[in-house]
Amino acid sequence: YPEMFLQASAYLQAKEEETGDKYDGGVAILRLSKETEDITSFEIQQIGRQDVSKLIKVFISCLRIYEWKIDLKKQKILKSVK
C-alpha cells in the first residue's frame, strides 16, 4: 500500500528530529503473508532517500488537510471526519 511509505517516511523524519541523528538510507516495508505461517513467504519494498524527502512533503500536505477537516468539524460545518 502506498500509504505505508508515507507513514514510514514520517517516522524516519520524526526519529531524526528526536535524536539529531541523520540516516542516509531510505525506508523499507516488510509485508508478511496472512495466508500462511511460512516465515519465508514475504515481500520487501524499498524507497531511497530522495523519495523519502518527496513523501515527507506529501505527508505534511495530507496532515494539513486532516487538520482542516478537524477545524471544519469543530465549527460544525462537517458532521464527521473520515
Side-chain angles (χ1 to χ4, degrees):
Y1 304 104
E3 305 86 29
M4 288 184 201
F5 284 108
L6 287 175
Q7 185 175 9
S9 297
Y11 283 140
L12 177 60
Q13 180 170 327
K15 181 72 170 177
E16 290 179 341
E17 289 176 4
E18 289 176 2
T19 63
D21 295 333
K22 183 73 174 169
Y23 299 94
D24 295 329
V27 297
I29 303 293
L30 173 65
R31 295 179 64 199
L32 303 172
S33 174
K34 293 180 185 178
E35 312 300 322
T36 178
E37 294 182 17
D38 179 8
I39 62 171
T40 62
S41 180
F42 62 88
E43 176 185 353
I44 298 176
Q45 294 180 325
Q46 297 175 237
I47 59 171
R49 187 62 194 206
Q50 285 183 325
D51 290 325
V52 168
S53 297
K54 291 176 189 175
L55 288 178
I56 291 298
K57 293 176 185 176
V58 175
F59 179 84
I60 290 172
S61 296
C62 292
L63 180 60
R64 298 293 175 252
I65 292 170
Y66 175 78
E67 290 169 342
W68 170 71
K69 289 176 78 174
I70 293 294
D71 286 342
L72 291 178
K73 183 180 178 189
K74 287 178 183 176
Q75 297 172 31
K76 303 206 187 292
I77 295 172
L78 287 179
K79 294 184 183 197
S80 66
V81 175
K82 295 183 182 187

